[in-house]
């Protein structure tokens, strides 16, 4: 250990004696490490991290497909048929993004939320932090004046009121009773703070009303491919029974995580390849600098060998210098990555999903270390 410490001190002195070389090498590596780590941080949050729900691989996104080309939402009757006729589907829920006009807290304000055909929290495998989830009765006429609020809304607007259940909110000029508070961090669909039971009139709206974003939860022992085959059978039966609305309709089932990032996956991976190429160029440039510097140290190394230093001892000293240089560059690179990540988030298009999960965490730091 004393030898390692001595090597470290010698390496630090050696680099400090040549500040121009050290600054150029350190700056080159730090910029490349910082840029690649920032991009990896975004990719990790958007693509690689599992969704923050229990068993997220069991959550599916459902869509209707007409003429094998036109994709739309789901109708409520079709959702009900998929749930009842496919063994591998535990439950289905339809949702529709909404904006509610909230009054009673100063000036009127638009709050993002959703209407849902069933127990949305339960489908995601979550129990409410307080109260209960929606039931089938909540969707019946006369029972729709209820609302579930997000944890952020409860803490921010309602002051973490422990007696919030039963309290009313005035949304769109209607008084809705709060029946539950969602788990911390739950905001599906993106940014939702309030959820209400569906309330569209059923007259004139049936299987042709593809107005719902469809979700399904697979049974614990279900296989996705088997469920897809069963969905094709259900679609074929519905085409025969309801030719007016389902004549060319099939169903598309995708894991929710895959569906959320499908449009941006290729672009993000290409960006990662680009910054890794930049990192490779930076490493090659620093390697060339080290080779030039090493050639100028031939006399020094020859003297050390003549004084009894073994080949392994000399190699270890040179590796220690590289380690000190790369560690310093890594630390500076992490600072650059923190700033770069914040900049990438601010510049990201609105359609980029899961930005709230992007953070310079232990995984991203491990990437920088490697």
């Amino acid at each position: 250990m004393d030898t390692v410490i001595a090597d470290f001190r010698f390496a630090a002195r050696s680099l400090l004696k040549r500040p121009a070389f050290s600054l150029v090498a350190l700056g080159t590596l730090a910029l490349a490490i910082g840029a690649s780590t920032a991009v990896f941080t975004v990719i990790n949050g958007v693509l690689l991290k599992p969704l923050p729900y229990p068993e997220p691989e069991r959550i599916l996104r459902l869509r209707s497909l007409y003429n094998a080309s036109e994709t739309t939402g789901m109708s409520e009757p079709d959702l009900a048929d998929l749930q009842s006729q496919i063994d591998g589907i535990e439950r289905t829920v339809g949702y529709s993004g909404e904006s509610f006009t909230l009054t009673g807290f100063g000036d009127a304000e638009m709050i993002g939320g959703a209407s849902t055909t069933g127990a949305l929290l339960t489908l995601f495998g979550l129990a409410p932090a307080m109260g209960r989830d929606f039931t089938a009765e909540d969707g019946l006429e006369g029972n729709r004046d209820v609302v579930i609020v997000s944890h952020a809304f409860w803490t921010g607007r309602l002051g973490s009121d422990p007696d919030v259940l039963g309290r009313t909110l005035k949304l769109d000029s209607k008084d809705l009773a709060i029946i539950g508070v969602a788990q911390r961090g739950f905001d599906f669909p993106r940014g939702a703070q309030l959820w209400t039971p569906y309330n569209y009139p059923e007259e004139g709206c049936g299987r042709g009303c593809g107005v719902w974003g469809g979700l399904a939860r697979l049974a614990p022992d279900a296989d996705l491919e088997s469920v897809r085959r069963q969905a094709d059978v259900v679609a074929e039966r519905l085409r025969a029974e309801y030719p007016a609305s389902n004549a060319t309709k099939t169903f598309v089932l995708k894991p929710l995580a895959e569906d959320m990032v499908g449009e941006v996956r290729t672009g993000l991976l290409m960006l990662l390849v680009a910054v890794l190429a930049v990192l490779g160029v930076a490493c090659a440039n620093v390697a060339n600098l080290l080779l030039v510097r090493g050639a100028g140290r031939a006399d020094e190394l020859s003297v050390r060998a003549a004084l009894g230093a073994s080949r392994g001892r000399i190699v270890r000293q040179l590796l220690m210098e590289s380690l000190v240089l790369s560690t310093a560059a890594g630390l500076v690179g992490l600072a650059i990555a923190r700033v770069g990540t914040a900049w990438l988030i601010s510049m990201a298009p609105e359609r980029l999903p899961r930005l709230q999960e992007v953070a310079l965490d232990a995984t991203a730091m491990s990437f920088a270390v490697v």
Side-chain angles (χ1 to χ4, degrees):
M1 195 64 195
D2 290 339
T3 305
V4 172
I5 293 174
D7 285 345
F8 172 78
R9 288 174 177 169
F10 183 85
R13 288 197 304 269
S14 176
L15 292 172
L16 289 174
K17 285 180 181 178
R18 298 168 179 81
F21 161 81
S22 300
L23 287 175
V24 170
L26 188 147
T28 301
L29 283 178
L31 286 172
I33 292 172
S36 58
T37 302
V39 172
F40 175 81
T41 300
V42 174
I43 290 175
N44 182 50
V46 175
L47 297 183
L48 304 182
K49 277 185 180 178
L51 294 175
Y53 314 118
E55 301 179 290
E57 69 281 357
R58 290 173 54 195
I59 305 173
L60 303 181
R61 183 75 161 84
L62 310 181
R63 286 190 172 88
S64 298
L65 183 65
Y66 289 87
N67 297 312
S69 60
E70 181 187 353
T71 304
T72 67
M74 297 288 295
S75 70
E76 191 191 3
D78 287 344
L79 280 171
D81 281 342
L82 290 176
Q83 178 173 332
S84 63
Q85 298 180 33
I86 297 179
D87 296 336
I89 289 184
E90 194 173 86
R91 64 174 62 243
T92 61
V93 169
Y95 69 91
S96 177
E98 304 280 355
S99 291
F100 301 100
T101 303
L102 175 68
T103 53
F105 293 84
D107 295 336
E109 185 178 355
M110 300 297 290
I111 303 292
S115 294
T116 173
T117 65
L120 187 66
L121 292 174
T122 303
L123 183 138
F124 279 91
L126 301 172
M130 295 176 62
R132 65 174 178 85
D133 202 350
F134 294 129
T135 64
E137 287 72 23
D138 291 321
L140 300 178
E141 191 70 40
N143 294 341
R144 295 172 180 166
D145 296 337
V146 293
V147 61
I148 294 174
V149 302
S150 71
H151 196 279
F153 187 92
W154 175 61
T155 56
R157 296 302 185 91
L158 304 177
S160 301
D161 181 7
D163 300 318
V164 70
L165 300 181
R167 184 171 167 177
T168 60
L169 294 178
K170 188 172 286 293
L171 299 176
D172 298 336
S173 301
K174 294 177 60 179
D175 289 326
L176 304 185
I178 298 173
I179 61 169
V181 177
Q183 290 266 355
R184 182 189 300 273
F186 182 78
D187 64 349
F188 186 91
R190 186 178 180 182
Q193 297 187 59
L194 304 169
W195 298 270
T196 62
Y198 76 96
N199 57 7
Y200 71 85
E202 295 185 4
E203 294 79 4
C205 192
R207 294 185 183 274
C209 271
V211 297
W212 298 106
L215 296 172
R217 188 170 186 87
L218 291 177
D221 56 348
D223 173 73
L224 177 57
E225 292 306 316
S226 173
V227 168
R228 282 172 169 164
R229 288 192 294 270
Q230 293 181 65
D232 290 339
V233 173
V234 173
E236 185 176 354
R237 183 185 65 77
L238 294 178
R239 285 196 293 271
E241 291 187 15
Y242 306 98
S245 59
N246 291 59
T248 63
K249 186 191 296 185
T250 56
F251 302 116
V252 178
L253 289 73
K254 282 186 178 181
L256 181 60
E258 178 184 331
D259 183 79
M260 290 174 67
V261 303
E263 294 183 0
V264 300
R265 179 187 298 274
T266 301
L268 286 177
L269 291 179
M270 289 177 63
L271 180 60
L272 179 62
V273 170
V275 297
L276 289 178
V278 171
L279 178 61
V281 171
C283 290
N285 288 336
V286 173
N288 285 330
L289 289 174
L290 288 169
L291 285 172
V292 171
R293 180 168 177 256
R297 298 175 66 187
D299 292 342
E300 171 200 338
L301 299 180
S302 297
V303 170
R304 294 183 67 190
L307 291 174
S310 65
R311 181 184 297 271
R313 184 73 176 80
I314 294 174
V315 168
R316 189 173 69 184
Q317 177 60 59
L318 296 176
L319 288 176
M320 179 60 74
E321 291 181 13
S322 292
L323 180 61
V324 170
L325 180 65
S326 60
T327 301
L331 293 174
V332 177
L334 282 175
I336 294 173
R338 185 173 296 278
V339 175
T341 300
W343 180 79
L344 286 173
I345 291 174
S346 68
M347 296 296 291
E350 290 186 4
R351 67 186 181 90
L352 191 65
R354 306 183 65 189
L355 275 181
Q356 70 278 8
E357 298 175 45
V358 174
L360 193 62
D361 55 13
T363 302
M365 291 183 181
S366 299
F367 175 87
V369 169
V370 172

